[in-house]
Amino acid sequence: MVPQKRKLIIFLCSDNSKAKISVMELCRRMGFIPVDMGLLSSSLEIENLPLYLFPSWRVPVLGTLALFIFFYLYNFIQDILQPYVTAGKNFFYKMPIETVNVTLPSVALVLLSLVYLPGLCAAFLQLWLGTKYKRFPDWLDQWLTMRKQLGLCSFLCSVLHAIYSLCLPMRKSARYELLNLAFKQVNDGVEISWDDEKVWRMELYLSVGIMALGLLSLLAITSLPSVANTVNWREFSFVQSTLGYCALAMATIHTLLFGWNRAFIPAQYRFFLPPTFLLVLILPFLVLLGRLALLVPCVAQRLRQIRRGWEKSHHIRFTLLQDGSQNSLENVSHV
Ligand SMILES: Cc1cc2nc3c(=O)[nH]c(=O)nc-3n(C[C@H](O)[C@H](O)[C@H](O)COP(=O)(O)OP(=O)(O)OC[C@H]3O[C@@H](n4cnc5c(N)ncnc54)[C@H](O)[C@@H]3O)c2cc1C
Ligand code: HEM
């Protein structure tokens, strides 16, 4: 739940429970995390553990691939298939770079939201249950343990997106487009082409995007065990949680500025599908709104109490007890 610094895990199994408890205690004292794997018969399973290929990465990587395929098909339909079917325009050359460069940042932003969503679910669940001592449901527990892998997948997609973006003007297609535009402009008799709004929009969204990537790089560096071991829990939590939320907010602003007013242009809804950036913004918006809700003073105060060990059920019992004793005191005075 709370970001974990790396500690070595020791798997233990034995038919003698007393011996197992003693060895587990010894492991704990030596700074390892002992995990009880049950009876000696499970030793074969433990011996096979090193043979598994990245077991903790399976779900995050498959999730990233699934998101990539979904967004790639979505962008293909919108940007390539629709102009081909409706106007016979051949934009298939966009498939290797432009379509990939819309898909990668979309996956990155959705994954980044999925990193912070389980923490919010956990917080709201704690508020609802009024305790931190109840176990989270299994799906939430597993989701919480996957955040590091989801975050690193998001970071990879962001880095690739930045490199692809830098390569956009290098392409032959971009140069031909520019030449054609210049030729058209000369034909139309336009001398200077300068749109203040477009210029400002691009300067701003690029700058915010670069900042978001910078913050994500910090998160990625701190997740290296050698770096994580040199910072204390508060510092690690500040980078991972506070700066992580800043990165999410910046990536959201980057996408908002990129999209600008296009959400209100009907031509952007090709085949009646909303533009990709609009679809991609839903989840980060929900996460940021959820986080803002947790910052409301009364909610933040209650969450802080719960994290310090306060429990709703104890409080109710205590109040009932107080009410009860007050009533009996009143009865006594009446008598
Ligand atoms: C590039 C990158 C790298 C990352 N590397 C890592 C990594 O190495 N390790 C890692 O763990 N994550 C990593 N992440 C994921 C993510 O940054 C962290 O998990 C981050 O701490 C999540 O912050 P949070 O505020 O959502 O959750 P948390 O701070 O974990 O809080 C989640 C919930 O737990 C509960 N909680 C928090 N504190 C307490 C408390 N003291 N007592 C009781 N309950 C409490 C609250 O309900 C809270 O809402 C990485 C992400 C990215 C993008
Ligand atoms: C150095 C950092 C970055 C640069 C240079 C950059 C650049 C760009 C560019 C040029 C575009 C427009 C692409 C196009 O014309 O189709 C864009 C769009 C976008 N970027 Fe970034 N970006 C950066 C970082 C990020 C990060 C960190 C994220 C998210 C985690 C992100 C998410 C997005 C999204 C969602 C879009 C909209 C895609 C679409 O719907 O077309 N970017 N970015």
Side-chain angles (χ1 to χ4, degrees):
M1 211 173 39
V2 180
Q4 290 276 317
K5 288 217 267 161
R6 204 176 159 88
K7 267 185 169 185
L8 279 182
I9 295 174
I10 304 276
F11 298 107
L12 288 167
C13 62
S14 168
D15 289 338
N16 185 332
S17 53
K18 255 189 172 175
K20 193 161 56 180
I21 290 169
S22 314
V23 178
M24 280 175 86
E25 187 50 40
L26 189 69
C27 289
R28 230 171 263 128
R29 281 196 204 162
M30 289 169 78
F32 299 114
I33 303 172
V35 177
D36 187 351
M37 297 293 281
L39 296 175
L40 198 58
S41 49
S42 45
S43 60
L44 194 67
E45 199 186 318
I46 301 175
E47 279 163 20
N48 282 337
L49 278 180
L51 302 178
Y52 294 141
L53 200 60
F54 303 121
S56 59
W57 283 85
R58 199 174 302 146
V59 178
V61 168
L62 287 179
T64 307
L65 276 178
L67 279 173
F68 187 91
I69 292 169
F70 169 76
F71 279 113
Y72 191 88
L73 288 177
Y74 192 88
N75 295 324
F76 177 81
I77 291 170
Q78 274 218 323
D79 300 341
I80 298 170
L81 205 61
Q82 195 270 353
Y84 185 72
V85 171
T86 55
K89 287 183 184 161
N90 185 342
F91 287 146
F92 285 91
Y93 73 90
K94 289 186 177 180
M95 283 173 67
I97 293 194
E98 275 190 45
T99 313
V100 173
N101 195 36
V102 184
T103 306
L104 280 172
S106 309
V107 177
L109 194 53
V110 171
L111 284 177
L112 196 58
S113 315
L114 291 178
V115 168
Y116 292 96
L117 190 57
L120 279 184
C121 294
F124 282 114
L125 205 65
Q126 284 180 338
L127 281 170
W128 187 53
L129 295 172
T131 176
K132 72 167 182 177
Y133 298 109
K134 279 225 173 94
R135 261 187 72 92
F136 292 141
D138 280 347
W139 60 268
L140 186 56
D141 245 355
Q142 278 165 14
W143 192 358
L144 284 163
T145 57
M146 267 179 230
R147 290 178 298 173
K148 176 178 177 172
Q149 288 80 351
L150 288 172
L152 288 171
C153 287
S154 164
F155 176 64
L156 174 70
C157 294
S158 304
V159 171
L160 291 176
H161 161 58
I163 298 172
Y164 269 92
S165 296
L166 294 179
C167 291
L168 286 179
M170 288 181 195
R171 297 164 308 143
K172 270 271 183 285
S173 57
R175 290 183 205 174
Y176 287 139
E177 266 176 19
L178 203 66
L179 278 175
N180 290 344
L181 210 68
F183 188 70
K184 188 173 175 296
Q185 214 174 283
V186 172
N187 270 352
D188 292 349
V190 181
E191 276 188 14
I192 303 165
S193 66
W194 182 275
D195 186 333
D196 244 349
E197 188 188 301
K198 279 187 183 161
V199 168
W200 270 101
R201 182 166 69 96
M202 187 148 192
E203 305 283 316
L204 286 174
Y205 85 68
L206 279 184
S207 175
V208 183
I210 293 167
M211 299 247 187
L213 188 65
L215 287 177
L216 285 181
S217 312
L218 260 183
L219 263 76
I221 292 170
T222 0
S223 72
L224 294 171
S226 53
V227 179
N229 288 336
T230 61
V231 293
N232 65 32
W233 176 80
R234 275 201 77 183
E235 291 161 348
F236 188 74
S237 181
F238 172 76
V239 174
Q240 291 295 335
S241 186
T242 313
L243 295 189
Y245 264 105
C246 290
L248 178 64
M250 288 199 164
T252 308
I253 295 172
H254 166 72
T255 314
L256 260 178
L257 287 170
F258 164 76
W260 205 244
N261 57 353
R262 266 183 281 176
F264 308 106
I265 301 174
Q268 293 289 323
Y269 291 76
R270 299 182 203 123
F271 280 150
F272 304 106
L273 296 171
T276 314
F277 78 89
L278 208 61
L279 202 68
V280 156
L281 279 171
I282 299 171
L283 213 52
F285 255 120
L286 285 179
V287 173
L288 291 172
L289 280 178
R291 180 68 189 178
L292 282 180
L294 289 185
L295 290 179
V296 173
C298 56
V299 183
Q301 162 84 4
R302 179 48 51 90
L303 195 61
R304 218 173 301 126
Q305 284 175 330
I306 291 173
R307 285 176 187 174
R308 284 184 191 148
W310 179 90
E311 282 193 277
K312 188 163 74 179
S313 51
H314 278 190
H315 178 73
I316 293 169
R317 227 179 296 150
F318 183 65
T319 321
L320 279 177
L321 213 72
Q322 275 190 327
D323 282 357
S325 41
Q326 222 166 20
N327 282 343
S328 45
L329 275 178
E330 274 169 18
N331 289 344
V332 169
S333 65
H334 276 298
V335 171

